[in-house]
């Protein structure tokens, strides 16, 4: 039998716990789709004592993320802690340096250090997969990297933050306050640990910078994105827009212009009859305008443990199949 892919996971919160469950539940399917078993063998998080609804007894508990990343007993390091800096950065660098493949859902880190990490992956022969970092379950990274590898892209835009779209939808449909809707988004596991990243537009900017770099082959540059969030929007604003036949959506837009790549994130009034106005709740939608082909729109769940785990496990499956390394 082909040797199993041995996986180590750092971070057992909303996403990490679902990844452990999904790999367990789908073990036979993964084994047949990848041609080899996929096994979680070691994990770590801040607190070993925390109740997580997972049976972790047969798994090794690493003393910290760096120790897990350097563990010779794992082939693939999965980073699901979050944060643009430590300990995620050093752990990923250590795993790549040791020749392991890395899977992460961390858009903050990829937007800031993606280029350096991609170079390290290339140098040491591992894969760096981050499908879940943009649009959770929507395979938009794969679409840009692989499906449209031969197509020039002129524009990428869409709804890239589940928390904001969930808040705007419930405020409009139920007349609820911004604060109430945000609380529910946090309870449902959609929001970032610091939800101002969501509502102030930075999470969308990070995702847009990643998409722009994939679409246009440019350096990821979050600093180049104009950012305005939704935190000052009140139910009355949404009602006023509705009376005029519009809905408000937080859009991220990256477009090729004669002066270079323009990137912006801001609330936008879209006609109620447009397809983007129909994207409700935690759903995300990304439209890609490619040269010589009609626009392609991908729609799907943009946040939450199960949706994100789906993309993380797909990235792990690619590692098991030897794709990307
Ligand atoms: P959570 O806050 O739910 O979980 C974070 C996990 O990381 C926890 O288990 C925590 O440990 C662990 N952790 C945090 N800091 C450390 C540290 N210093 N050392 C060891 N472990 C640490 O976050 P999510 O699961 O929601 O998000 C994880 C990543 O996935 C983030 O990068 C996020 O942006 C990304 N993401 C999230 C989505 C979502 O819908 N939630 C969607 C797409 C991407 P403990 O449990 O002990 O506190
Ligand atoms: N907080 C993010 C969102 C998670 O709401 O879209 C998914 O990246």
């Amino acid at each position: 039998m082909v040797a199993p892919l041995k996986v180590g996971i750092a971070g057992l919160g909303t996403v990490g716990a679902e990844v452990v469950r999904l790999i367990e539940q789908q073990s036979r399917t993964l084994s047949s789709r990848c041609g080899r078993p996929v096994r979680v063998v070691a994990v770590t998080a801040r607190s070993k004592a925390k109740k997580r609804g997972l049976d972790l007894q047969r798994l090794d508990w690493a003393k910290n993320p760096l120790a897990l990343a350097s563990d010779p007993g794992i082939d693939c390091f999965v980073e699901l802690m979050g944060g643009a800096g430590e300990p995620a950065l050093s752990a990923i660098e250590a795993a790549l340096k040791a020749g392991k493949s890395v899977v992460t859902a961390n858009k903050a880190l990829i937007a800031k250090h993606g280029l350096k990490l991609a170079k390290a992956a290339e140098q040491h022969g591992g894969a760096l997969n981050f499908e879940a970092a943009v649009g959770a379950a929507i395979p938009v990274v794969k679409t840009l990297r692989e499906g449209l590898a031969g197509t020039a892209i002129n524009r990428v835009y869409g709804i890239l933050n589940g928390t904001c779209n969930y808040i705007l939808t419930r405020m409009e449909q139920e007349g609820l306050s911004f604060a109430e809707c945000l609380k529910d988004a946090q309870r449902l596991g959609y929001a970032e640990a610091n939800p101002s990243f969501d509502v102030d537009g930075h999470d969308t900017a990070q995702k847009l910078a990643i998409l722009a770099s994939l679409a246009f082959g440019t350096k990821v540059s979050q600093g180049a994105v104009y950012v305005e969030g939704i935190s000052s929007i009140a139910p009355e604003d949404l009602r006023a827009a509705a009376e005029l036949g519009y809905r408000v959506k937080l859009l991220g837009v990256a477009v090729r212009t004669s002066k270079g790549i323009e990137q912006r994130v801001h609330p936008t009034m879209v006609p109620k009859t447009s397809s983007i106005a129909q994207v409700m709740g935690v759903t995300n939608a990304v439209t890609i305008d490619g040269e010589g082909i009609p626009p392609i729109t991908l729609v799907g769940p943009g946040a939450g443990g199960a949706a994100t785990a789906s993309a993380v496990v797909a990235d792990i499956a690619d590692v098991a199949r030897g794709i990307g390394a």
Side-chain angles (χ1 to χ4, degrees):
M1 191 168 86
V2 187
L5 180 82
K6 288 175 274 171
V7 176
I9 302 181
L12 295 169
T14 304
V15 180
E18 279 304 323
V19 170
V20 174
R21 269 185 217 110
L22 191 58
I23 291 178
E24 181 74 36
Q25 271 166 22
Q26 292 293 93
S27 74
R28 291 177 75 161
T29 307
L30 279 169
S31 187
S32 76
R33 288 184 181 165
C34 301
R36 64 193 287 206
V38 173
R39 293 218 179 99
V40 180
V41 296
V43 293
T44 193
R46 260 181 311 227
S47 158
K48 192 175 177 183
K50 205 183 217 175
K51 295 264 178 288
R52 303 176 191 276
L54 295 171
D55 179 10
L56 300 175
Q57 276 184 3
R58 58 188 178 79
L59 306 182
D60 286 339
W61 183 277
K63 70 173 191 293
N64 58 49
L66 194 58
L68 179 61
S70 318
D71 181 348
I74 67 161
D75 311 307
C76 175
F77 176 67
V78 180
E79 186 280 306
L80 299 169
M81 298 176 288
E86 301 303 343
L89 178 60
S90 296
I92 290 179
E93 284 181 324
L96 292 172
K97 208 169 161 194
K100 300 179 199 304
S101 288
V102 168
V103 172
T104 181
N106 189 339
K107 49 276 165 127
L109 187 84
I110 293 294
K112 192 162 178 194
H113 300 289
L115 188 63
K116 179 169 77 166
L117 296 175
K119 280 185 182 157
E122 204 175 329
Q123 187 186 346
H124 298 286
L128 173 66
N129 293 348
F130 49 87
E131 181 63 71
V134 187
I138 304 174
V140 62
V141 171
K142 223 176 221 302
T143 300
L144 283 167
R145 262 183 171 178
E146 298 172 27
L148 294 171
T151 303
I153 311 294
N154 292 324
R155 187 168 64 148
V156 186
Y157 69 96
I159 295 171
L160 300 174
N161 185 272
T163 299
C164 290
N165 208 47
Y166 173 85
I167 292 173
L168 292 171
T169 300
R170 292 201 65 204
M171 281 172 75
E172 187 206 336
Q173 294 189 332
E174 300 171 51
L176 297 174
S177 72
F178 181 91
E180 259 175 299
C181 299
L182 173 57
K183 217 166 146 194
D184 280 349
Q186 289 178 289
R187 182 178 51 75
L188 292 164
Y190 301 157
E192 294 303 303
N194 176 354
S196 80
F197 280 99
D198 295 290
V199 298
D200 293 332
H202 303 299
D203 178 84
T204 301
Q206 287 158 358
K207 292 166 177 167
L208 188 70
I210 295 170
L211 290 183
S213 121
L214 294 168
F216 306 118
T218 51
K219 219 171 119 186
V220 185
S221 177
Q222 198 196 328
V225 187
Y226 167 81
V227 189
E228 198 186 318
I230 63 160
S231 45
S232 59
I233 292 178
E236 306 81 73
D237 300 320
L238 302 182
R239 270 200 297 278
E243 278 167 20
L244 297 168
Y246 291 90
R247 211 162 253 155
V248 177
K249 296 289 181 191
L250 183 72
L251 297 189
V253 182
V255 59
R256 191 196 293 278
T257 73
S258 56
K259 292 185 192 135
I261 308 300
E262 181 187 303
Q263 300 178 67
R264 51 196 159 78
V265 172
H266 50 77
T268 308
M269 301 237 287
V270 295
K272 267 190 190 175
T273 49
S274 63
S275 53
I276 203 141
Q278 318 310 317
V279 178
M280 302 301 243
V282 72
T283 307
N284 282 190
V286 191
T287 298
I288 304 161
D289 281 348
E291 194 78 43
I293 54 168
I296 293 169
T297 299
L298 304 170
V299 181
T308 311
S310 157
V312 171
V313 175
D315 272 351
I316 296 171
D318 274 355
V319 173
R321 294 185 192 111
I323 298 171

